[in-house]
Amino acid sequence: MRGEELTPELLLAAYAQGVFPMAESRDDPEVFWVDPRRRGIFPLEGFRVSRSLARTLRRDPFRVTFDADFVGVVQGCADRDETWISEPIAALYAELHRMGHAHSVEVWEDERLVGGVYGVVLGAAFFGESMFSRRTDASKVALAHLVERLRAGRFALFDTQFLTPHLASLGAIEISRLEYRHRLAKALRQEARWEP
């Protein structure tokens, strides 16, 4: 379907069914739905902090904010040679953010945005969409702060869509589509708080 035909309401309904949109490229007006056979998730109690990440977190070289520059984070995530984040998709997530259904974590070095992560919230589920890093460990710092906030807010599911070696090194795992849908249905019946 064409990206401009998508509405925020349709997008939320899709997430509630376990599917999410992607585009082939930045300039592609078409959007397709993805329903992976194997799904990546972060068990919230299983986030793994390596020694080097623990050192970075102790050193505290970055300033971390929440929802301070959502559009900037989406742009940072799309700022690569190949991206699935087309203009229509970016506009949709910006609208979800205005509605209170999409959130971001920003990592700053002085006044420069150097990393971040964003995703969608429904019930007690957080659907991680994308992250970026312009400094060593910046995206990991964003993830660490995100996991801390999700735990504090009593979220039940942190969906990473796919499992990458990078996410696996931090404790993410892969589950079947059936198991994912079971966990998603349970999370959608629960309440969670994004704000601390």
PDB file of all heavy atoms in Angstrom, residues 17-46:
ATOM      1  N   GLN A  17      -1.779  -6.501  16.252  1.00  0.00           N
ATOM      2  CA  GLN A  17      -1.866  -7.821  15.624  1.00  0.00           C
ATOM      3  C   GLN A  17      -0.480  -8.456  15.444  1.00  0.00           C
ATOM      4  O   GLN A  17      -0.367  -9.565  14.928  1.00  0.00           O
ATOM      5  CB  GLN A  17      -2.548  -7.713  14.260  1.00  0.00           C
ATOM      6  CG  GLN A  17      -3.982  -7.208  14.306  1.00  0.00           C
ATOM      7  CD  GLN A  17      -4.876  -8.102  15.134  1.00  0.00           C
ATOM      8  OE1 GLN A  17      -4.844  -9.315  14.995  1.00  0.00           O
ATOM      9  NE2 GLN A  17      -5.661  -7.494  16.007  1.00  0.00           N
ATOM     10  N   GLY A  18       0.567  -7.710  15.799  1.00  0.00           N
ATOM     11  CA  GLY A  18       1.916  -8.268  15.691  1.00  0.00           C
ATOM     12  C   GLY A  18       2.621  -7.986  14.385  1.00  0.00           C
ATOM     13  O   GLY A  18       3.647  -8.604  14.091  1.00  0.00           O
ATOM     14  N   VAL A  19       2.107  -7.061  13.561  1.00  0.00           N
ATOM     15  CA  VAL A  19       2.783  -6.729  12.299  1.00  0.00           C
ATOM     16  C   VAL A  19       3.222  -5.267  12.314  1.00  0.00           C
ATOM     17  O   VAL A  19       2.668  -4.457  13.054  1.00  0.00           O
ATOM     18  CB  VAL A  19       1.891  -7.017  11.067  1.00  0.00           C
ATOM     19  CG1 VAL A  19       1.545  -8.483  10.980  1.00  0.00           C
ATOM     20  CG2 VAL A  19       0.638  -6.170  11.076  1.00  0.00           C
ATOM     21  N   PHE A  20       4.221  -4.958  11.507  1.00  0.00           N
ATOM     22  CA  PHE A  20       4.749  -3.591  11.459  1.00  0.00           C
ATOM     23  C   PHE A  20       5.129  -3.243  10.023  1.00  0.00           C
ATOM     24  O   PHE A  20       5.352  -4.132   9.193  1.00  0.00           O
ATOM     25  CB  PHE A  20       5.947  -3.429  12.401  1.00  0.00           C
ATOM     26  CG  PHE A  20       7.055  -4.426  12.181  1.00  0.00           C
ATOM     27  CD1 PHE A  20       8.081  -4.163  11.282  1.00  0.00           C
ATOM     28  CD2 PHE A  20       7.073  -5.627  12.882  1.00  0.00           C
ATOM     29  CE1 PHE A  20       9.106  -5.081  11.080  1.00  0.00           C
ATOM     30  CE2 PHE A  20       8.091  -6.552  12.685  1.00  0.00           C
ATOM     31  CZ  PHE A  20       9.104  -6.279  11.778  1.00  0.00           C
ATOM     32  N   PRO A  21       5.192  -1.947   9.701  1.00  0.00           N
ATOM     33  CA  PRO A  21       5.448  -1.524   8.313  1.00  0.00           C
ATOM     34  C   PRO A  21       6.930  -1.286   8.038  1.00  0.00           C
ATOM     35  O   PRO A  21       7.703  -0.932   8.917  1.00  0.00           O
ATOM     36  CB  PRO A  21       4.686  -0.199   8.232  1.00  0.00           C
ATOM     37  CG  PRO A  21       4.864   0.383   9.602  1.00  0.00           C
ATOM     38  CD  PRO A  21       4.882  -0.786  10.562  1.00  0.00           C
ATOM     39  N   MET A  22       7.298  -1.477   6.767  1.00  0.00           N
ATOM     40  CA  MET A  22       8.628  -1.125   6.289  1.00  0.00           C
ATOM     41  C   MET A  22       8.500  -0.657   4.842  1.00  0.00           C
ATOM     42  O   MET A  22       7.510  -0.967   4.174  1.00  0.00           O
ATOM     43  CB  MET A  22       9.586  -2.322   6.356  1.00  0.00           C
ATOM     44  CG  MET A  22       9.896  -2.811   7.760  1.00  0.00           C
ATOM     45  SD  MET A  22      11.093  -4.164   7.805  1.00  0.00           S
ATOM     46  CE  MET A  22      12.621  -3.226   7.799  1.00  0.00           C
ATOM     47  N   ALA A  23       9.496   0.075   4.387  1.00  0.00           N
ATOM     48  CA  ALA A  23       9.599   0.442   2.975  1.00  0.00           C
ATOM     49  C   ALA A  23      10.906  -0.138   2.442  1.00  0.00           C
ATOM     50  O   ALA A  23      11.831  -0.419   3.208  1.00  0.00           O
ATOM     51  CB  ALA A  23       9.581   1.958   2.817  1.00  0.00           C
ATOM     52  N   GLU A  24      10.961  -0.346   1.142  1.00  0.00           N
ATOM     53  CA  GLU A  24      12.183  -0.906   0.543  1.00  0.00           C
ATOM     54  C   GLU A  24      13.362   0.064   0.637  1.00  0.00           C
ATOM     55  O   GLU A  24      14.508  -0.341   0.738  1.00  0.00           O
ATOM     56  CB  GLU A  24      11.946  -1.270  -0.925  1.00  0.00           C
ATOM     57  CG  GLU A  24      11.061  -2.485  -1.132  1.00  0.00           C
ATOM     58  CD  GLU A  24      11.729  -3.793  -0.729  1.00  0.00           C
ATOM     59  OE1 GLU A  24      12.946  -3.797  -0.434  1.00  0.00           O
ATOM     60  OE2 GLU A  24      11.018  -4.807  -0.685  1.00  0.00           O
ATOM     61  N   SER A  25      13.039   1.374   0.592  1.00  0.00           N
ATOM     62  CA  SER A  25      14.105   2.382   0.640  1.00  0.00           C
ATOM     63  C   SER A  25      13.520   3.713   1.084  1.00  0.00           C
ATOM     64  O   SER A  25      12.306   3.866   1.198  1.00  0.00           O
ATOM     65  CB  SER A  25      14.750   2.536  -0.745  1.00  0.00           C
ATOM     66  OG  SER A  25      13.832   3.147  -1.631  1.00  0.00           O
ATOM     67  N   ARG A  26      14.382   4.673   1.298  1.00  0.00           N
ATOM     68  CA  ARG A  26      13.987   6.015   1.726  1.00  0.00           C
ATOM     69  C   ARG A  26      12.997   6.659   0.756  1.00  0.00           C
ATOM     70  O   ARG A  26      12.086   7.368   1.154  1.00  0.00           O
ATOM     71  CB  ARG A  26      15.241   6.885   1.860  1.00  0.00           C
ATOM     72  CG  ARG A  26      14.991   8.320   2.233  1.00  0.00           C
ATOM     73  CD  ARG A  26      16.275   9.127   2.302  1.00  0.00           C
ATOM     74  NE  ARG A  26      17.102   8.744   3.440  1.00  0.00           N
ATOM     75  CZ  ARG A  26      18.203   7.994   3.367  1.00  0.00           C
ATOM     76  NH1 ARG A  26      18.624   7.546   2.195  1.00  0.00           N
ATOM     77  NH2 ARG A  26      18.889   7.680   4.437  1.00  0.00           N
ATOM     78  N   ASP A  27      13.187   6.411  -0.552  1.00  0.00           N
ATOM     79  CA  ASP A  27      12.373   7.078  -1.575  1.00  0.00           C
ATOM     80  C   ASP A  27      11.177   6.259  -2.039  1.00  0.00           C
ATOM     81  O   ASP A  27      10.434   6.709  -2.915  1.00  0.00           O
ATOM     82  CB  ASP A  27      13.250   7.416  -2.792  1.00  0.00           C
ATOM     83  CG  ASP A  27      14.435   8.278  -2.408  1.00  0.00           C
ATOM     84  OD1 ASP A  27      14.244   9.201  -1.595  1.00  0.00           O
ATOM     85  OD2 ASP A  27      15.547   8.019  -2.899  1.00  0.00           O
ATOM     86  N   ASP A  28      10.993   5.076  -1.488  1.00  0.00           N
ATOM     87  CA  ASP A  28       9.896   4.212  -1.934  1.00  0.00           C
ATOM     88  C   ASP A  28       8.573   4.670  -1.316  1.00  0.00           C
ATOM     89  O   ASP A  28       8.440   4.707  -0.096  1.00  0.00           O
ATOM     90  CB  ASP A  28      10.192   2.764  -1.518  1.00  0.00           C
ATOM     91  CG  ASP A  28       9.222   1.776  -2.144  1.00  0.00           C
ATOM     92  OD1 ASP A  28       8.286   2.208  -2.845  1.00  0.00           O
ATOM     93  OD2 ASP A  28       9.404   0.566  -1.920  1.00  0.00           O
ATOM     94  N   PRO A  29       7.578   5.018  -2.142  1.00  0.00           N
ATOM     95  CA  PRO A  29       6.293   5.446  -1.582  1.00  0.00           C
ATOM     96  C   PRO A  29       5.460   4.272  -1.061  1.00  0.00           C
ATOM     97  O   PRO A  29       4.492   4.465  -0.319  1.00  0.00           O
ATOM     98  CB  PRO A  29       5.594   6.114  -2.780  1.00  0.00           C
ATOM     99  CG  PRO A  29       6.179   5.437  -3.979  1.00  0.00           C
ATOM    100  CD  PRO A  29       7.594   5.100  -3.614  1.00  0.00           C
ATOM    101  N   GLU A  30       5.837   3.041  -1.460  1.00  0.00           N
ATOM    102  CA  GLU A  30       5.079   1.860  -1.041  1.00  0.00           C
ATOM    103  C   GLU A  30       5.537   1.387   0.339  1.00  0.00           C
ATOM    104  O   GLU A  30       6.714   1.485   0.693  1.00  0.00           O
ATOM    105  CB  GLU A  30       5.271   0.711  -2.034  1.00  0.00           C
ATOM    106  CG  GLU A  30       4.789   1.031  -3.442  1.00  0.00           C
ATOM    107  CD  GLU A  30       3.279   1.120  -3.525  1.00  0.00           C
ATOM    108  OE1 GLU A  30       2.589   0.374  -2.809  1.00  0.00           O
ATOM    109  OE2 GLU A  30       2.794   1.948  -4.327  1.00  0.00           O
ATOM    110  N   VAL A  31       4.585   0.866   1.100  1.00  0.00           N
ATOM    111  CA  VAL A  31       4.862   0.304   2.424  1.00  0.00           C
ATOM    112  C   VAL A  31       4.343  -1.126   2.448  1.00  0.00           C
ATOM    113  O   VAL A  31       3.268  -1.404   1.908  1.00  0.00           O
ATOM    114  CB  VAL A  31       4.163   1.144   3.523  1.00  0.00           C
ATOM    115  CG1 VAL A  31       4.251   0.465   4.876  1.00  0.00           C
ATOM    116  CG2 VAL A  31       4.779   2.540   3.593  1.00  0.00           C
ATOM    117  N   PHE A  32       5.122  -2.041   3.020  1.00  0.00           N
ATOM    118  CA  PHE A  32       4.652  -3.423   3.139  1.00  0.00           C
ATOM    119  C   PHE A  32       4.645  -3.830   4.608  1.00  0.00           C
ATOM    120  O   PHE A  32       5.350  -3.239   5.429  1.00  0.00           O
ATOM    121  CB  PHE A  32       5.513  -4.371   2.298  1.00  0.00           C
ATOM    122  CG  PHE A  32       6.968  -4.405   2.665  1.00  0.00           C
ATOM    123  CD1 PHE A  32       7.460  -5.321   3.584  1.00  0.00           C
ATOM    124  CD2 PHE A  32       7.873  -3.504   2.085  1.00  0.00           C
ATOM    125  CE1 PHE A  32       8.801  -5.347   3.917  1.00  0.00           C
ATOM    126  CE2 PHE A  32       9.220  -3.523   2.422  1.00  0.00           C
ATOM    127  CZ  PHE A  32       9.683  -4.451   3.346  1.00  0.00           C
ATOM    128  N   TRP A  33       3.834  -4.814   4.919  1.00  0.00           N
ATOM    129  CA  TRP A  33       3.699  -5.283   6.301  1.00  0.00           C
ATOM    130  C   TRP A  33       4.631  -6.454   6.556  1.00  0.00           C
ATOM    131  O   TRP A  33       4.805  -7.321   5.697  1.00  0.00           O
ATOM    132  CB  TRP A  33       2.260  -5.701   6.590  1.00  0.00           C
ATOM    133  CG  TRP A  33       1.285  -4.575   6.483  1.00  0.00           C
ATOM    134  CD1 TRP A  33       0.380  -4.365   5.490  1.00  0.00           C
ATOM    135  CD2 TRP A  33       1.147  -3.474   7.397  1.00  0.00           C
ATOM    136  NE1 TRP A  33      -0.321  -3.205   5.730  1.00  0.00           N
ATOM    137  CE2 TRP A  33       0.125  -2.639   6.882  1.00  0.00           C
ATOM    138  CE3 TRP A  33       1.777  -3.118   8.591  1.00  0.00           C
ATOM    139  CZ2 TRP A  33      -0.283  -1.476   7.525  1.00  0.00           C
ATOM    140  CZ3 TRP A  33       1.386  -1.959   9.225  1.00  0.00           C
ATOM    141  CH2 TRP A  33       0.370  -1.149   8.705  1.00  0.00           C
ATOM    142  N   VAL A  34       5.223  -6.492   7.744  1.00  0.00           N
ATOM    143  CA  VAL A  34       6.173  -7.540   8.110  1.00  0.00           C
ATOM    144  C   VAL A  34       5.640  -8.285   9.332  1.00  0.00           C
ATOM    145  O   VAL A  34       5.208  -7.669  10.312  1.00  0.00           O
ATOM    146  CB  VAL A  34       7.571  -6.933   8.422  1.00  0.00           C
ATOM    147  CG1 VAL A  34       8.570  -8.035   8.734  1.00  0.00           C
ATOM    148  CG2 VAL A  34       8.052  -6.089   7.249  1.00  0.00           C
ATOM    149  N   ASP A  35       5.673  -9.617   9.253  1.00  0.00           N
ATOM    150  CA  ASP A  35       5.222 -10.490  10.341  1.00  0.00           C
ATOM    151  C   ASP A  35       6.242 -11.622  10.459  1.00  0.00           C
ATOM    152  O   ASP A  35       6.040 -12.707   9.922  1.00  0.00           O
ATOM    153  CB  ASP A  35       3.820 -11.031  10.001  1.00  0.00           C
ATOM    154  CG  ASP A  35       3.236 -11.877  11.127  1.00  0.00           C
ATOM    155  OD1 ASP A  35       3.789 -11.873  12.245  1.00  0.00           O
ATOM    156  OD2 ASP A  35       2.221 -12.551  10.875  1.00  0.00           O
ATOM    157  N   PRO A  36       7.381 -11.362  11.127  1.00  0.00           N
ATOM    158  CA  PRO A  36       8.478 -12.347  11.121  1.00  0.00           C
ATOM    159  C   PRO A  36       8.077 -13.700  11.723  1.00  0.00           C
ATOM    160  O   PRO A  36       7.311 -13.757  12.678  1.00  0.00           O
ATOM    161  CB  PRO A  36       9.555 -11.680  11.999  1.00  0.00           C
ATOM    162  CG  PRO A  36       9.186 -10.247  12.053  1.00  0.00           C
ATOM    163  CD  PRO A  36       7.700 -10.187  11.930  1.00  0.00           C
ATOM    164  N   ARG A  37       8.618 -14.749  11.125  1.00  0.00           N
ATOM    165  CA  ARG A  37       8.364 -16.107  11.643  1.00  0.00           C
ATOM    166  C   ARG A  37       9.045 -16.280  13.005  1.00  0.00           C
ATOM    167  O   ARG A  37       8.536 -16.956  13.886  1.00  0.00           O
ATOM    168  CB  ARG A  37       8.902 -17.126  10.637  1.00  0.00           C
ATOM    169  CG  ARG A  37       8.357 -18.529  10.797  1.00  0.00           C
ATOM    170  CD  ARG A  37       8.720 -19.378   9.589  1.00  0.00           C
ATOM    171  NE  ARG A  37      10.147 -19.340   9.299  1.00  0.00           N
ATOM    172  CZ  ARG A  37      11.058 -20.057   9.950  1.00  0.00           C
ATOM    173  NH1 ARG A  37      10.710 -20.847  10.949  1.00  0.00           N
ATOM    174  NH2 ARG A  37      12.328 -19.973   9.623  1.00  0.00           N
ATOM    175  N   ARG A  38      10.223 -15.671  13.149  1.00  0.00           N
ATOM    176  CA  ARG A  38      10.945 -15.654  14.427  1.00  0.00           C
ATOM    177  C   ARG A  38      11.058 -14.197  14.852  1.00  0.00           C
ATOM    178  O   ARG A  38      11.381 -13.332  14.046  1.00  0.00           O
ATOM    179  CB  ARG A  38      12.341 -16.256  14.290  1.00  0.00           C
ATOM    180  CG  ARG A  38      12.374 -17.653  13.707  1.00  0.00           C
ATOM    181  CD  ARG A  38      11.944 -18.716  14.684  1.00  0.00           C
ATOM    182  NE  ARG A  38      12.804 -18.775  15.845  1.00  0.00           N
ATOM    183  CZ  ARG A  38      12.505 -19.431  16.970  1.00  0.00           C
ATOM    184  NH1 ARG A  38      11.351 -20.057  17.091  1.00  0.00           N
ATOM    185  NH2 ARG A  38      13.338 -19.453  17.986  1.00  0.00           N
ATOM    186  N   ARG A  39      10.801 -13.918  16.132  1.00  0.00           N
ATOM    187  CA  ARG A  39      10.724 -12.530  16.606  1.00  0.00           C
ATOM    188  C   ARG A  39      11.784 -12.273  17.660  1.00  0.00           C
ATOM    189  O   ARG A  39      11.990 -13.073  18.576  1.00  0.00           O
ATOM    190  CB  ARG A  39       9.339 -12.307  17.217  1.00  0.00           C
ATOM    191  CG  ARG A  39       8.959 -10.865  17.421  1.00  0.00           C
ATOM    192  CD  ARG A  39       8.634 -10.204  16.100  1.00  0.00           C
ATOM    193  NE  ARG A  39       8.015  -8.904  16.267  1.00  0.00           N
ATOM    194  CZ  ARG A  39       6.863  -8.563  15.699  1.00  0.00           C
ATOM    195  NH1 ARG A  39       6.192  -9.396  14.938  1.00  0.00           N
ATOM    196  NH2 ARG A  39       6.386  -7.351  15.871  1.00  0.00           N
ATOM    197  N   GLY A  40      12.441 -11.129  17.547  1.00  0.00           N
ATOM    198  CA  GLY A  40      13.416 -10.729  18.552  1.00  0.00           C
ATOM    199  C   GLY A  40      12.734  -9.970  19.682  1.00  0.00           C
ATOM    200  O   GLY A  40      11.886  -9.117  19.431  1.00  0.00           O
ATOM    201  N   ILE A  41      13.077 -10.318  20.916  1.00  0.00           N
ATOM    202  CA  ILE A  41      12.575  -9.581  22.083  1.00  0.00           C
ATOM    203  C   ILE A  41      13.712  -9.418  23.092  1.00  0.00           C
ATOM    204  O   ILE A  41      14.666 -10.177  23.088  1.00  0.00           O
ATOM    205  CB  ILE A  41      11.371 -10.271  22.774  1.00  0.00           C
ATOM    206  CG1 ILE A  41      11.788 -11.618  23.386  1.00  0.00           C
ATOM    207  CG2 ILE A  41      10.186 -10.429  21.825  1.00  0.00           C
ATOM    208  CD1 ILE A  41      10.794 -12.171  24.386  1.00  0.00           C
ATOM    209  N   PHE A  42      13.569  -8.421  23.952  1.00  0.00           N
ATOM    210  CA  PHE A  42      14.492  -8.223  25.072  1.00  0.00           C
ATOM    211  C   PHE A  42      13.771  -8.637  26.344  1.00  0.00           C
ATOM    212  O   PHE A  42      12.838  -7.946  26.764  1.00  0.00           O
ATOM    213  CB  PHE A  42      14.862  -6.745  25.231  1.00  0.00           C
ATOM    214  CG  PHE A  42      16.247  -6.405  24.796  1.00  0.00           C
ATOM    215  CD1 PHE A  42      16.461  -5.450  23.825  1.00  0.00           C
ATOM    216  CD2 PHE A  42      17.346  -7.033  25.368  1.00  0.00           C
ATOM    217  CE1 PHE A  42      17.731  -5.121  23.413  1.00  0.00           C
ATOM    218  CE2 PHE A  42      18.626  -6.712  24.961  1.00  0.00           C
ATOM    219  CZ  PHE A  42      18.817  -5.763  23.981  1.00  0.00           C
ATOM    220  N   PRO A  43      14.150  -9.735  26.990  1.00  0.00           N
ATOM    221  CA  PRO A  43      13.610  -9.974  28.330  1.00  0.00           C
ATOM    222  C   PRO A  43      14.113  -8.829  29.224  1.00  0.00           C
ATOM    223  O   PRO A  43      15.319  -8.601  29.325  1.00  0.00           O
ATOM    224  CB  PRO A  43      14.238 -11.310  28.737  1.00  0.00           C
ATOM    225  CG  PRO A  43      14.692 -11.936  27.451  1.00  0.00           C
ATOM    226  CD  PRO A  43      15.047 -10.795  26.553  1.00  0.00           C
ATOM    227  N   LEU A  44      13.216  -8.083  29.819  1.00  0.00           N
ATOM    228  CA  LEU A  44      13.614  -6.852  30.517  1.00  0.00           C
ATOM    229  C   LEU A  44      14.562  -7.105  31.684  1.00  0.00           C
ATOM    230  O   LEU A  44      15.356  -6.246  32.041  1.00  0.00           O
ATOM    231  CB  LEU A  44      12.380  -6.076  30.970  1.00  0.00           C
ATOM    232  CG  LEU A  44      11.643  -5.399  29.816  1.00  0.00           C
ATOM    233  CD1 LEU A  44      10.309  -4.831  30.270  1.00  0.00           C
ATOM    234  CD2 LEU A  44      12.498  -4.302  29.197  1.00  0.00           C
ATOM    235  N   GLU A  45      14.478  -8.291  32.271  1.00  0.00           N
ATOM    236  CA  GLU A  45      15.421  -8.595  33.359  1.00  0.00           C
ATOM    237  C   GLU A  45      16.715  -9.199  32.819  1.00  0.00           C
ATOM    238  O   GLU A  45      17.625  -9.492  33.583  1.00  0.00           O
ATOM    239  CB  GLU A  45      14.768  -9.550  34.379  1.00  0.00           C
ATOM    240  CG  GLU A  45      13.534  -8.977  35.062  1.00  0.00           C
ATOM    241  CD  GLU A  45      13.752  -7.586  35.636  1.00  0.00           C
ATOM    242  OE1 GLU A  45      14.806  -7.351  36.252  1.00  0.00           O
ATOM    243  OE2 GLU A  45      12.874  -6.714  35.459  1.00  0.00           O
ATOM    244  N   GLY A  46      16.786  -9.389  31.506  1.00  0.00           N
ATOM    245  CA  GLY A  46      17.959 -10.050  30.934  1.00  0.00           C
ATOM    246  C   GLY A  46      18.868  -9.134  30.150  1.00  0.00           C
ATOM    247  O   GLY A  46      19.725  -9.608  29.400  1.00  0.00           O
TER     248      GLY A  46
END
